[in-house]
Amino acid sequence: MKGKAIIIIVLLLGSLQSLNAQHRLGRAGYFKTFDYVRLAHSLTDNVESDSLKVKSIYLWMTKHIRYDMGGYFSGSGSYTDPNDILRHRTAVCLGISILFDSLCSVAGIQSEVVWGYVYEPWYEGRDTIFLDTHAWNVVQIDGEWKLVDVTWAAGSLQQRRQPLRRLLWKWFKIPYGIKYRNKRKRNDFYYCTPPEKFVLDHLPSTPAWQLLDCSVPMDSFQMSPTATQHFLDAPVNCRNGNDSIAAITGAVSYKKWMVSGQQALAFNKHNHQDISFGMRDYGYYLFTQAEDTDYDYKTRIAYYDSCLAQLDSMSKSFLATAKDCRDEGAFFVRRNKRMNRQLLNEDKPLIKKKSAEERDWRKQRQNARRMVRKLQSENKKLGKASTYYSRKRIKISRPKKPNDKEADRIDKLVDHLGDMDDRISDLTDSASNVAFPLFADLAPQYMAMIDTLDSCAYVQLIYQRSLVVLRAYYFNSFDTVVIVRKDHVMKLQHEEDSIRSIIPGAGMWAADSAANVYKKNVKKIQLTLKDEMQACSQLGKMSKSGYDEKQKYIDCRRQYVAWNDSVISYNNQLIRQYNDYAGSLGSLEKKAERSAKYFQYEVNYENMRFRSTTVFFRMYYGGHANSMKMNSDTCKKLKRIVASRKKQLEAKHRKEMQQKAKS
């Protein structure tokens, strides 16, 4: 019983110890973090399995080593010595990969630094990729190679907001350069990533390190991640590069990069960079061997001759790499010009059309305001006329002596009054029939169309804003964005045009034939009522009419005032409709103006981006070209030194031989 208890306690303590070891993965004493050998022992000594050792190194580096943004964008490079990196806690991808490889080597884990291609922030779909600009690691865990990118796992590249510079550009057109920052946030996707996922955005310059049975070709990768996925789903001309892993790992250290560089050049004819550095390592090795005095004369001379030949090849290779750098920079400058020209061709007609729409909406709005003022003036006149006639009284001053000659005239006036009543009744029916469909059908249709057009313009403006955001924050998307934007904008423009073709018939309904008929009928009714009141006044001046002209006059006056009030009411409805019309047009005018400004903003932004990135390309790739040219010059200087040392050795040997001959 006691034995079982002891076994259980031992097992519990062992499990707790293993949990504690896992809990302390990625932790090391501060004073041990300035020497990579001590750091590696501190991170891995108490860890048993290779996978946990690699995990411990990975966790520490993602937390404590930051990316050197200044060294990256200046093209001047950064620290590559592991102890220098630990002292400054900063490096670019190559330095980070070298540090990871060094820590793994001290821990007894086989690891390799891998050069390769990734999508840089300035790359677009279908761009030609020249040089490999990124480095990561492959590490062997339990006999299986795993892919690890500590640089990308430690954080991501993001564009800075630069609000002050944006405001200065918006107000004073002061150009500014686009800046990026490295956001520190661990992303475990790039730790032991499956090869078929890793290759979507990381393509090794040496196909062997894809770790795939069917290697992805260069043209598929530089097309887009989607094209790479399509190749993985349905491979064509499949080639397996895994066979060359043994050739790379089995090569001696000074030839390892040479072997990789030869495969990289065969994989991408535009990339002489890897083989140049491989030649450099091999050339320095030959030089150190030639300087070794332990070798005899013939061996040293042979090393000197091999070193001279290697330095000559190395110089040419670095010059070829410098040409690759210049070609890539020129390619991106040309690409920028094409993109800028394409965007101008897309946006300038849209700016022109939106500006024309803005002027048209403003003109229609001014016409609507003018119509409102005209109707208000007409209402004032009608109100004054109603007041005048409501106060006016008929004067009956009959002559004392009857006049027999007035009988025929009285009969004619009475008949005329009857005709006026019939005519007013007909005109009233006609005006009412015209007014009913005018308010019941056309106005609601018009307002619905205005709302649809308003929403259409709003959606277009919002979509245009989203495109600028996409262009600023998402890469590899310019051609796609322009195509998608053109498709959406053209659909919206077509919808706007179709609605605009209907709106004048429904929107300008107050000026159409029905409204004109209504106005003509109203004027005829008003003139007829005035004529009727005038006839009543004439009857009141006759000696005997046998007609109650005073009551008739009162009825005509009441009817005239009522018609004036109905016209005023109708005009007030028109005023409300025109005010709504003008308000809607004002909204459309503002949206057209904002849309034109936003299209113009995108053009200005792209022009500024074109200028700033052109300067960056010339600085970045020009700096790399100069660096490669300096390496070539260094090769030439070293070649002169080697030739001089060879002559000295030959002269020394001849002198020794002469002394031996004399003795």
Side-chain angles (χ1 to χ4, degrees):
M1 195 70 182
K2 290 182 180 180
K4 291 183 179 180
I6 292 172
I7 292 172
I8 292 172
I9 291 171
V10 170
L11 291 175
L12 286 174
L13 290 174
S15 61
L16 289 174
Q17 185 177 2
S18 62
L19 288 173
N20 186 43
Q22 292 186 21
H23 177 68
R24 294 192 58 81
L25 288 178
R27 297 187 181 185
Y30 176 75
F31 295 103
K32 295 180 181 179
T33 61
F34 296 96
D35 180 78
Y36 77 93
V37 176
R38 296 180 64 192
L39 174 61
H41 286 300
S42 178
L43 290 172
T44 61
D45 278 352
N46 297 324
V47 182
E48 295 180 358
S49 65
D50 288 349
S51 60
L52 291 179
K53 288 180 180 180
V54 174
K55 185 68 175 291
S56 182
I57 295 170
Y58 163 78
L59 291 175
W60 188 91
M61 287 189 62
T62 54
K63 184 176 181 181
H64 294 92
I65 305 300
R66 68 180 185 277
Y67 194 79
D68 187 1
M69 300 294 294
Y72 172 72
F73 282 105
S74 66
S76 60
S78 186
Y79 307 104
T80 55
D81 183 80
N83 288 331
D84 289 341
I85 297 171
L86 292 176
R87 278 194 294 272
H88 296 89
R89 293 289 199 270
T90 182
V92 294
C93 57
L94 178 59
I96 293 173
S97 300
I98 291 174
L99 177 60
F100 183 84
D101 180 64
S102 302
L103 294 173
C104 288
S105 298
V106 174
I109 300 169
Q110 188 174 2
S111 172
E112 298 289 342
V113 177
V114 179
W115 278 89
Y117 309 94
V118 293
Y119 296 107
E120 296 287 0
W122 53 87
Y123 284 167
E124 300 286 346
R126 297 182 294 278
D127 280 347
T128 301
I129 300 177
F130 286 70
L131 303 177
D132 43 8
T133 56
H134 192 50
W136 58 91
N137 297 91
V138 288
V139 59
Q140 197 171 43
I141 301 175
D142 299 329
E144 184 179 358
W145 289 103
K146 300 290 186 180
L147 295 159
V148 179
D149 187 352
V150 181
T151 306
W152 282 31
S156 59
L157 187 69
Q158 290 188 352
Q159 184 179 348
R160 291 184 181 273
R161 295 182 180 276
Q162 299 177 269
L164 179 60
R165 303 306 299 270
R166 287 177 181 270
L167 287 176
L168 291 176
W169 162 254
K170 182 178 180 181
W171 293 340
F172 307 108
K173 302 302 178 187
I174 299 176
Y176 65 95
I178 300 173
K179 294 184 179 180
Y180 297 90
R181 66 185 181 91
N182 189 40
K183 185 178 180 182
R184 299 285 296 275
K185 185 178 180 181
R186 198 177 81 215
N187 182 6
D188 291 333
F189 174 79
Y190 293 103
Y191 176 73
C192 296
T193 312
E196 61 275 7
K197 299 294 183 184
F198 198 78
V199 77
L200 293 176
D201 52 15
H202 287 65
L203 184 72
S205 55
T206 304
W209 294 123
Q210 293 185 25
L211 305 180
L212 294 170
D213 294 333
C214 191
S215 300
V216 175
M218 190 70 194
D219 54 354
S220 294
F221 180 80
Q222 64 188 8
M223 179 73 71
S224 68
T226 305
T228 305
Q229 186 62 57
H230 287 168
F231 179 86
L232 293 173
D233 294 338
V236 179
N237 298 328
C238 185
R239 295 180 181 179
N240 189 347
N242 293 339
D243 299 337
S244 57
I245 292 179
I248 297 173
T249 57
V252 292
S253 59
Y254 54 85
K255 279 194 173 182
K256 189 173 291 186
W257 208 339
M258 189 94 158
V259 175
S260 299
Q262 290 171 349
Q263 295 185 19
L265 184 59
F267 186 59
N268 181 10
K269 64 179 181 179
H270 300 293
N271 183 14
H272 292 81
Q273 180 173 248
D274 294 3
I275 195 169
S276 299
F277 290 129
M279 288 181 175
R280 182 189 64 183
D281 287 356
Y282 186 48
Y284 286 161
Y285 167 78
L286 292 174
F287 179 67
T288 56
Q289 294 299 310
E291 291 290 299
D292 192 350
T293 57
D294 293 338
Y295 293 112
D296 58 11
Y297 167 76
K298 291 183 179 180
T299 305
R300 292 183 65 187
I301 290 295
Y303 273 124
Y304 275 128
D305 290 336
S306 300
C307 184
L308 287 172
Q310 186 66 24
L311 288 172
D312 191 45
S313 301
M314 191 195 328
S315 178
K316 293 179 181 178
S317 183
F318 274 120
L319 288 177
T321 307
K323 184 179 182 299
D324 292 340
C325 293
R326 289 192 296 270
D327 290 346
E328 187 165 11
F331 169 82
F332 282 115
V333 170
R334 291 195 305 272
R335 195 277 318 268
N336 254 17
K337 289 182 179 179
R338 176 189 64 79
M339 287 165 48
N340 195 57
R341 186 166 56 251
Q342 182 180 353
L343 191 72
L344 290 177
N345 292 337
E346 293 290 341
D347 280 358
K348 279 189 174 181
L350 294 173
I351 294 170
K352 186 176 180 181
K353 185 172 184 178
K354 286 298 176 183
S355 300
E357 287 180 4
E358 178 192 352
R359 291 192 297 271
D360 184 40
W361 294 130
R362 186 185 301 113
K363 184 177 179 181
Q364 291 194 40
R365 184 170 58 86
Q366 291 172 353
N367 291 336
R369 296 295 186 192
R370 193 178 296 113
M371 183 63 73
V372 168
R373 291 193 294 271
K374 184 177 179 181
L375 291 172
Q376 289 173 344
S377 175
E378 185 178 348
N379 280 354
K380 286 183 180 179
K381 292 178 181 179
L382 290 173
K384 289 180 180 179
S386 296
T387 303
Y388 171 77
Y389 283 107
S390 63
R391 293 177 180 176
K392 189 177 179 180
R393 300 289 184 269
I394 187 171
K395 294 181 180 179
I396 299 177
S397 55
R398 301 185 186 280
K400 295 181 180 180
K401 294 181 179 180
N403 188 352
D404 296 335
K405 295 181 180 180
E406 294 176 347
D408 293 338
R409 190 178 176 191
I410 290 171
D411 292 338
K412 290 180 180 180
L413 288 173
V414 171
D415 293 339
H416 181 65
L417 287 172
D419 293 339
M420 292 299 102
D421 289 340
D422 295 338
R423 187 176 181 186
I424 288 172
S425 178
D426 294 339
L427 290 173
T428 301
D429 294 339
S430 177
S432 300
N433 292 331
V434 171
F436 176 75
L438 190 67
F439 288 110
D441 298 331
L442 297 181
Q445 292 178 13
Y446 155 71
M447 294 307 297
M449 291 175 187
I450 284 288
D451 291 341
T452 304
L453 188 58
D454 187 38
S455 63
C456 183
Y458 181 74
V459 169
Q460 182 173 348
L461 181 60
I462 293 299
Y463 189 75
Q464 182 60 23
R465 283 180 176 175
S466 68
L467 287 173
V468 173
V469 172
L470 282 174
R471 185 69 192 97
Y473 291 97
Y474 291 89
F475 309 123
N476 307 319
S477 59
F478 178 82
D479 293 329
T480 305
V481 163
V482 170
I483 292 170
V484 173
R485 192 275 303 276
K486 183 177 180 180
D487 184 43
H488 281 257
V489 169
M490 289 306 164
K491 285 182 180 178
L492 292 167
Q493 289 288 326
H494 179 70
E495 187 176 354
E496 279 192 39
D497 293 340
S498 62
I499 295 174
R500 283 171 64 88
S501 65
I502 303 173
I503 279 181
M508 300 297 289
W509 46 269
D512 65 5
S513 58
N516 290 330
V517 169
Y518 181 82
K519 286 185 176 180
K520 289 178 181 178
N521 288 341
V522 169
K523 288 183 179 179
K524 288 179 182 179
I525 290 171
Q526 291 173 343
L527 291 174
T528 304
L529 288 171
K530 287 182 180 180
D531 191 14
E532 196 170 4
M533 286 189 288
Q534 188 177 3
C536 290
S537 298
Q538 291 176 0
L539 282 174
K541 295 177 181 179
M542 296 183 182
S543 58
K544 58 178 182 178
S545 64
Y547 192 83
D548 191 359
E549 61 275 3
K550 186 174 183 179
Q551 185 61 39
K552 182 63 177 175
Y553 183 86
I554 293 172
D555 293 340
C556 288
R557 183 181 63 190
R558 187 182 298 113
Q559 197 171 3
Y560 179 79
V561 172
W563 265 110
N564 276 2
D565 291 342
S566 68
V567 174
I568 291 173
S569 176
Y570 173 72
N571 286 344
N572 286 333
Q573 294 183 41
L574 287 179
I575 288 171
R576 286 193 296 272
Q577 295 288 345
Y578 270 111
N579 281 330
D580 293 340
Y581 177 48
S584 300
L585 292 177
S587 175
L588 290 175
E589 177 191 346
K590 289 180 180 178
K591 284 188 170 60
E593 180 184 8
R594 290 169 63 190
S595 186
K597 284 183 178 179
Y598 226 84
F599 281 121
Q600 185 63 50
Y601 169 77
E602 188 184 46
V603 169
N604 295 339
Y605 178 84
E606 191 64 23
N607 285 332
M608 183 203 66
R609 192 200 64 81
F610 166 70
R611 289 192 295 269
S612 62
T613 50
T614 299
V615 172
F616 168 75
F617 292 149
R618 287 172 179 166
M619 177 188 70
Y620 183 82
Y621 289 103
H624 279 288
N626 291 333
S627 176
M628 296 302 165
K629 180 68 168 55
M630 290 173 61
N631 284 331
S632 177
D633 294 339
T634 303
C635 292
K636 294 177 182 178
K637 292 178 182 178
L638 186 58
K639 185 178 178 181
R640 289 194 293 269
I641 294 172
V642 171
S644 175
R645 296 284 180 86
K646 179 184 175 184
K647 287 182 180 179
Q648 291 176 6
L649 182 60
E650 289 175 343
K652 183 179 178 181
H653 181 68
R654 283 196 302 270
K655 188 176 180 180
E656 290 177 353
M657 294 299 293
Q658 289 173 1
Q659 289 177 355
K660 287 182 180 180
K662 289 180 181 180
S663 62

